[in-house]
Amino acid sequence: MQKNSSKVLSMGLLSIVQFSVSEDLGCRRGEFSRKHYGSVELLISSDADGAIQRAGRFRVENGSSGENTDYTPGTWHRTDVHLENPEYHTRWYFKYFLGKVHQNYIGTDAEKNPFFLSVVLSDQNNQRVPQYHAILWRKTGTQKICLPYSPTKTLSVKSILSAMSLDKFEKSPREIFHPEIQKDLLVLEEQEGSVNFKFGILYAKDGQLTDDEMFSNEMGSESFQRFLHLLGDTVTLKGWTGYRGGLDTKNDTTGIFSIYTVFQGHEIMFHVSTMLPYSRENKQQVERKRHIGNDIVTIVFQEGEESSPAFKPSMIRSHFTHIFALVRYNKQNDSYRLKIFSEESVPLFGPPLPSPPVFTNHQEFRDFLLVKLINGEKATLETPTFSQKRQRTLDMLIRSLYQDLMPDLHKNMLNRRSFSDVLPESPKSTRKKEEARQAEFVRLGQALKLKTTVKGDATANLATTSFCKKEPWESQSFCSNFPHEVVCADSWGQSLLVSTDAGILLIDDGQPSVQVFDKTLQVKQMHVLETLDLLIARTDKGKDSRLLVFRLSAVQKDIETKQIIRSKYDCRENKLERTKGCHLYAINTHHGSELRIVVAIRNKLLLVTKKYNPCNSLTSSSLLSSSESPVEEFQYIREICLSDPPVVMTLVDGPTGDSDNMICVAYRHQFDLVNESTGESYRLHHVETNKVNFVAAIDVYEDGEAGLLLCYNYVCQYRKVHPFNGGSPLIQPSAYDFHFSWNQVPYAVVCAFPYILAFTTDSIEIRLVVNGNLVHTAVVPELQLVASKSDIYFKATAAVSGSCDSSSKEMSSRSSPQTPTAYEMPESPLSSLEGEVPCKNLYKIPLSNLVGRSIERPLKSPLAPKVITTTISSGTPSLPVTHSLSLSRMEIKEIASRTRKELLGKLTSVFLSAG
């Protein structure tokens, strides 16, 4: 099992280095592999005589291969079934801007391409977290970022554009004051795709091999009718006023009835082959093909046994349909089996199919299928076929709008506040005129918002129709009213070892904290390695900083016997040699054979190792004298010189571990890979921006091969590190590389497969690792990540809630967006008295909730020793939890297989809402 070291973060100026405990564990990512999302195959279809008709390359998802299937299908409750890039989180202009006072600008870049910029100051979900939301509209698409609000510092348009990597202009941006601009910008946002969907449903009898045969079925079977009833309601088309998906609602030319549903705020109309007009004279059933053949996604319901000839996408003559969902019904166990075919160019999308892809719970199957289809259509819109068309349309609309506004360039509408600050208030001389303009601006925007909602072109009803389910990122209270400032921390069993301004404390849920070291020992970075019986800590700062190593068993003995609390002066024997003046260190992620530590002292790297003796387990080492220091077990290997001091450092394990281990370092404007054996460095990635804020370099292992998630500014980029070739790694870009952008610059990033979480000062942005798609943004006021080696611990004034609290209705106001009023920002329930400082608590997000299964890890607390057993669905207790962090890949698979039967719904947790 992989366990990542603490990741070091850079905040503010590059000369100022602050450190985060952002880490990554292999168990967090599960078996990180794109194979869970299918493999590309060449599919060939033939007619009844065996003659080849068509061929095509599709990615086939049929459940992950190689997994144990000795469990009852459908009993594993999944946690990763989410709509990706949900409109409620991505349609910013409709959500944050429309109907509120905001500012819009127009300009042209250095290549003379016009662009628009929209800026608004809004309160995140009414939780007293004001933020600037900015949208940059260009022909290549929209770019969205959040920027922090400061009441003492104004924000300029130039700084906003610079944060979006737009620094050079052919014409400087000028502000647009006409309220009609809202209608045009709403049209630009609608180019991102429809919020409503139309899916085809094709009924295929057993043995049918051509589309002509399938489209010629007049009626479906009883099981097909039950499937339609599961998907939605039968509606009469004539006079239908909802979303019609291209069907005729006046003259019954496209049938009399159809299937319709609303799912998580999205209207869905199904084009059902047996409900569309049938013609006995037309064998090709052109009218049916005209609708289903022009759907991006089509469900194929196929009758027959598993052994009968299966459907292949190449059987359908359509250049438009990119995704086919093959559904089979099994009468014997009343279950549905699902198989997904995606055209090769469609990006990966979730959720991945379970193994086997069999569903006995029909409601779970419906939810899974609809989420998969919606995500699939969104992913298809990113293929070259659709993205190029969208880019041409967007370019045409932006240029046309720019030309319409050009005649007014010298009038009052455009000639004010070029490169101005985003002003907190209007100038006094024009206050009344400005207030009147703002009132008209808001009135028109609110009318547009209402009209769009009534038409069904927005998911505004998502705020009230979102089902309230427990989300995997919901947090539990760990320690209430925590009064100390947290510097760093690491988990120790079920407890938390925390470095604070009052010293080093050991905290356990529901128990008083225990002082371990006094405040003379200022720990800036630490690792608790239970399997090696080690505590590693970097103390003090500047020239006085050192790396200390302690026996964990000796520390625990001091706690149990309640001996005198150690001070800085009691730790002289625990100092590692040559580490004076270190500002950063990193350890290797799995240390089954040896523990490797790289210590950074300015621009020098010191490689130190500790050999792992299997006999020297936690039990045997605890028999040693508590005064014996483990310093002598470490040996200095070599020194490596860099050109600059690193601000981020991560160890990457080579495939053999013999002269191919690497160190990823970040400094200046680049990430480099350094060979541990030779000291040679190789350029991994160069950052092409004026200012760089390095966040993290997270080592991940996909199918056993090393890769790196490079996080800086708003960017998260995945680079696969190929095995060494003649002493140097193959680090050229490959098809496996991908990148995405956060909405806000994080200070820490944590991987918990299938998720990757970005932590900012007031939010957690949750995305999927495999494609970077947004899943959820949780607003957490005054957020500080504390530890993330196992469960994720953070300090905040409010917990992370689920769907119910994340969908609070937006409130509109006529006040200036730069000056949030009491109406925009209601009194926080956390602070009932004026001027009262909200108390901060420690919260925990359980790792098992995020990864979707139980994870075996040390659950023994240093404060309260105990053995915990889990109960599977049959009611029999499983084996006691082991105390090993270094599990092999086979052990991980065995654990996953055994614990899949466990119903996560039976795990009861206390979740705190933000209110």
Side-chain angles (χ1 to χ4, degrees), residues 294-308:
N294 285 308
D295 290 330
I296 294 175
V297 178
T298 293
I299 302 170
V300 178
F301 186 93
Q302 187 171 40
E303 300 280 9
E305 303 294 331
E306 289 295 324
S307 57
S308 59

Side-chain angles (χ1 to χ4, degrees), residues 143-261:
Q143 186 177 353
K144 305 164 188 174
I145 63 171
C146 286
L147 295 166
Y149 166 78
S150 172
T152 59
K153 183 180 179 182
T154 56
L155 189 69
S156 69
V157 175
K158 188 173 183 179
S159 64
I160 296 175
L161 292 172
S162 179
M164 295 175 161
S165 301
L166 184 57
D167 297 296
K168 298 180 180 179
F169 311 94
E170 193 264 338
K171 287 185 179 179
S172 298
R174 293 176 178 267
E175 189 172 353
I176 307 170
F177 289 91
H178 202 286
E180 292 291 337
I181 188 64
Q182 297 175 94
K183 185 185 301 183
D184 299 310
L185 295 179
L186 186 61
V187 171
L188 294 184
E189 184 169 74
E190 289 171 352
Q191 303 311 307
E192 295 180 14
S194 173
V195 298
N196 301 319
F197 299 89
K198 54 186 183 71
F199 299 138
I201 302 180
L202 179 60
Y203 175 70
K205 294 181 179 179
D206 188 11
Q208 292 183 335
L209 301 177
T210 66
D211 55 355
D212 287 347
E213 293 175 320
M214 300 175 196
F215 279 104
S216 296
N217 293 320
E218 292 188 60
M219 297 180 63
S221 64
E222 182 181 347
S223 59
F224 179 62
Q225 295 302 322
R226 285 201 301 268
F227 174 67
L228 295 181
H229 181 70
L230 174 66
L231 288 182
D233 301 317
T234 302
V235 297
T236 303
L237 289 177
K238 195 167 188 178
W240 177 252
T241 57
Y243 175 67
R244 61 189 185 93
L247 299 179
D248 180 18
T249 58
K250 294 182 179 179
N251 302 310
D252 291 338
T253 60
T254 57
I256 300 175
F257 304 103
S258 190
I259 302 297
Y260 166 89
T261 191

